[in-house]
Amino acid sequence: MSRSIRLAAALAGVALAAPAVRAQNPVAVNQTPNTIEIGADAGLTFGLGKQSFVDFTFPAQRARVGFFLNNDSRVSIEPALQLNVFKAKDQSAITTYQGEVGALYHFRPARLITDVANRAAVSYVRPFVGVRGVNSADNDEDNVNDPFVGAGIGVKIPYRTNIAFRAEANIGYGFDTDAARVGLNLGLSFFTRRDR
């Protein structure tokens, strides 16, 4: 296992362990059990350094699902996925993908987003880890698998019951490409819940 993958795995463990430790706090703010946030984001990403690029995707760059920890309305674990496959006649397919896991800490109880009587915007911070890649069957030299880490700060703004706008600015660093990325995401979230 390469050094960059080990480092990304270690940072993922730290990012995911911190919310779990807080979840054991007996005085945590109560949250409706098993709240889920489902959403999609348009995105604008700027690559810096050796991997200089601009990537704009609308209406949806990625899909995400956030799982709030029980009895804690401030912390959620959120995996996100982006997948694109391009296939032209007489050519092999080119696949680009990005998968990441984030741990969101909300500065106010997230239930305020969907509370009809006390609806309010809620800001958050989101450390994340993931991998981004390009695979081409025609040319192995073009294949890239780049583990990365980063953090974002954003806000969720209520729109209607169980629906909110979400805006985020983030920065990340890819280990294999030795390049930083700055991103802006704008999306919609739908909040639901499952019974115990």
Side-chain angles (χ1 to χ4, degrees), residues 12-146:
V14 170
L16 297 177
V21 169
R22 188 181 184 283
Q24 297 173 3
N25 182 356
V27 295
V29 179
N30 288 332
Q31 165 76 357
T32 304
N34 300 316
T35 299
I36 298 174
E37 176 184 355
I38 301 168
D41 301 317
L44 175 62
T45 307
F46 299 94
L48 309 174
K50 292 190 286 187
Q51 288 291 320
S52 179
F53 65 87
V54 175
D55 179 13
F56 174 68
T57 307
F58 182 86
Q61 183 184 62
R62 66 188 194 132
R64 53 184 164 72
V65 179
F67 301 93
F68 283 86
L69 301 182
N70 283 342
N71 298 320
D72 188 342
S73 65
R74 293 183 186 245
V75 178
S76 65
I77 304 300
E78 184 179 82
L81 179 65
Q82 171 189 357
L83 179 66
N84 182 43
V85 179
F86 177 79
K87 171 79 169 80
K89 184 177 179 181
D90 299 326
Q91 294 182 3
S92 296
I94 297 173
T95 303
T96 60
Y97 62 89
Q98 179 170 310
E100 65 183 52
V101 177
L104 282 74
Y105 176 79
H106 300 81
F107 293 108
R108 301 170 70 186
R111 68 172 179 267
L112 293 175
I113 300 166
T114 58
D115 186 339
V116 175
N118 301 302
R119 192 173 296 161
V122 176
S123 57
Y124 66 89
V125 63
R126 182 179 72 94
F128 57 85
V129 297
V131 63
R132 182 174 186 157
V134 178
N135 287 330
S136 170
D138 283 342
N139 189 353
D140 286 342
E141 293 180 2
D142 290 340
N143 292 347
V144 176
N145 293 299
D146 187 22

Side-chain angles (χ1 to χ4, degrees), residues 118-195:
N118 301 302
R119 192 173 296 161
V122 176
S123 57
Y124 66 89
V125 63
R126 182 179 72 94
F128 57 85
V129 297
V131 63
R132 182 174 186 157
V134 178
N135 287 330
S136 170
D138 283 342
N139 189 353
D140 286 342
E141 293 180 2
D142 290 340
N143 292 347
V144 176
N145 293 299
D146 187 22
F148 61 85
V149 297
I153 188 163
V155 63
K156 299 176 184 180
I157 303 168
Y159 173 60
R160 293 180 183 251
T161 303
N162 295 338
I163 299 175
F165 292 109
R166 177 165 152 172
E168 178 184 294
N170 57 64
I171 187 165
Y173 180 79
F175 292 102
D176 285 352
T177 56
D178 290 324
R181 291 189 286 267
V182 176
L184 302 170
N185 294 333
L186 181 62
L188 278 176
S189 291
F190 173 74
F191 295 85
T192 185
R193 74 175 184 216
R194 299 171 296 176
D195 293 331

